[in-house]
Amino acid sequence: MSKMITTLCVWAVLVAGVLFAVPVSGMAADVRTMDLAGFGVGMAGLLVNKATLDALFTSLKTTFNNAFAGAPSQWELTAMKVPSGSSRNDYGWLSAFPRMKKWIGDKAVKALEAFKYSIVNDDFEATVEVDRNDIEDDNLGIYAPQAQMAGFSAKQLPDEIVADLKNAAFASPCYDGQYFYDTDHPVEGVSVSNKSTVALSGATQAAAVASYGAARTAIMSFKDDEGRPLGLIPDVLEVPPALETEGRRLLEMDKLADDTPNPFKGTAKLVVNPRLTSTTAWFLHVTSMPVKPFVYQERKAPVFVEQTDPQADNVFMRKKYRFGAEARAAGGYAFWQMSYGSTGTGE
């Protein structure tokens, strides 16, 4: 009888090993090579251990990185990336950007003006919780789209920051203390304007000249503090979706709305920005130079982060793991001379 009991116990251990130990030990290697769609195929459930968590979050990180790499972005067209090594950057140098001139006698050393302009970095995050039950129940496919969206959002963070700058540019100061788009930027005792209220229009030649044409002329007329032309030529017209038709008429059509010849066809690239909040405001930029009208300041590029420590409060007390993205960055205004903005309100 005792021999039979012993045999049954051994058999039970062997069965347990076949049913549980073998799949668990074999799973760790297999899961590492699966994407999230494969987690729910042919498995009744997952044992939550270090190997499983490592495989899961490695897959989520790969999904995040692939979405990040493939996401569209257009901020670099109008903004320059400035690395940041601390909590803030100072931009007093914007007031005295050097230009080549004929060397006669001693060199003319430009001193920085007394302008104080700094950009403070902000913290950004996107966080997703993973319920331990979903891991145990093989319900992991629901987290792939969230990892993709986190990667997509992280890639487009600079676009959002730069768009916010443009939306606030009529009421936010730049390095000279004036609003970025303003009528009285001080240049050697003279007030210079890079702001209008005229609506963008390609209805007639007169309307086109008074809106887009006036902005183009203004930028090309800007001078430095020694009275020399800056030599700027605008090349990007940026509009909200509501002004796409007018923008295309001005830059892409042979004739204007009144069937007269279009003198501005091909003079700039049209950029339609859905993040612009005004339906009437429009902007003309110079983007062909090493410096740009706006600044994207990056302290820490977006990175994938995870929390899987079983002793963490949210895991131990609420069975919640976490993953997402973190970044430190900010935006600011550079050279107002390289951009012209109109509220388009006519007021």
Side-chain angles (χ1 to χ4, degrees):
M1 184 67 177
S2 60
K3 183 176 180 180
M4 181 179 296
I5 292 173
T6 301
T7 302
L8 290 173
C9 290
V10 171
W11 176 249
V13 170
L14 289 174
V15 170
V18 171
L19 292 178
F20 301 104
V22 173
V24 169
S25 61
M27 179 195 65
D30 294 340
V31 168
R32 286 190 180 92
T33 63
M34 293 181 181
D35 62 16
L36 291 179
F39 273 100
V41 179
M43 296 184 184
L46 296 178
L47 180 65
V48 180
N49 57 22
K50 185 178 186 303
T52 305
L53 292 173
D54 285 348
L56 168 61
F57 284 94
T58 295
S59 185
L60 288 171
K61 183 176 181 179
T62 299
T63 302
F64 172 92
N65 288 336
N66 289 341
F68 184 93
S73 183
Q74 64 180 22
W75 67 271
E76 291 178 292
L77 193 61
T78 59
M80 55 183 174
K81 183 178 179 179
V82 178
S84 177
S86 62
S87 63
R88 63 195 297 156
N89 281 21
D90 293 321
Y91 289 85
W93 56 270
L94 290 173
S95 64
F97 194 78
R99 296 179 64 215
M100 295 295 289
K101 61 182 297 184
K102 187 179 290 186
W103 186 354
I104 301 176
D106 293 338
K107 289 183 177 179
V109 180
K110 296 178 72 83
L112 295 180
E113 300 285 347
F115 296 126
K116 301 271 186 196
Y117 185 61
S118 62
I119 300 175
V120 179
N121 291 308
D122 294 314
D123 293 296
F124 296 89
E125 60 85 20
T127 305
V128 178
E129 284 191 332
V130 179
D131 194 293
R132 189 169 59 206
N133 289 355
D134 287 329
I135 301 176
E136 294 174 347
D137 297 342
D138 263 356
N139 188 28
L140 296 172
I142 62 175
Y143 294 105
Q146 296 188 65
Q148 290 175 324
M149 283 307 301
F152 187 92
S153 177
K155 177 66 171 293
Q156 294 206 321
L157 174 63
D159 289 87
E160 295 182 6
I161 289 175
V162 173
D164 287 344
L165 290 172
K166 295 166 184 174
N167 290 327
F170 293 102
S172 297
C174 60
Y175 72 86
D176 66 0
Q178 302 299 121
Y179 294 150
F180 184 74
Y181 293 123
D182 212 339
T183 58
D184 54 353
H185 290 285
V187 180
E188 287 300 290
V190 177
S191 292
V192 179
S193 175
N194 71 333
K195 175 190 174 183
S196 172
T197 60
V198 177
L200 185 69
S201 176
T204 65
Q205 279 194 354
V209 169
S211 57
Y212 174 80
R216 183 176 168 82
T217 299
I219 289 178
M220 292 191 293
S221 301
F222 289 153
K223 298 178 180 180
D224 65 13
D225 57 5
E226 296 176 355
R228 295 185 303 165
L230 289 174
L232 302 174
I233 299 177
D235 55 0
V236 167
L237 174 63
E238 187 172 13
V239 300
L243 294 179
E244 181 177 5
T245 299
E246 289 302 315
R248 296 201 181 283
R249 179 179 289 128
L250 284 164
L251 299 181
E252 300 174 3
M253 302 298 181
D254 291 324
K255 294 185 177 182
L256 299 174
D258 64 349
D259 208 34
T260 58
N262 179 10
F264 299 117
K265 179 184 177 181
T267 56
K269 173 184 177 179
L270 180 67
V271 170
V272 181
N273 190 344
R275 289 188 171 90
L276 297 179
T277 54
S278 171
T279 59
T280 61
W282 54 275
F283 312 95
L284 187 61
H285 310 295
V286 177
T287 68
S288 59
M289 299 179 68
V291 293
K292 299 289 193 291
F294 304 95
V295 170
Y296 171 63
Q297 180 175 290
E298 187 175 77
R299 178 66 179 90
K300 181 174 74 174
V303 293
F304 181 89
V305 293
E306 62 188 66
Q307 185 182 59
T308 60
D309 182 358
Q311 301 306 315
D313 283 348
N314 60 294
V315 178
F316 186 80
M317 300 296 291
R318 298 188 296 113
K319 60 182 177 57
K320 303 290 187 182
Y321 301 94
R322 291 173 179 168
F323 73 90
E326 291 180 357
R328 289 180 67 193
Y333 302 102
F335 294 101
W336 59 263
Q337 299 92 332
M338 302 181 71
S339 188
Y340 188 99
S342 176
T343 61
T345 59
E347 300 175 356

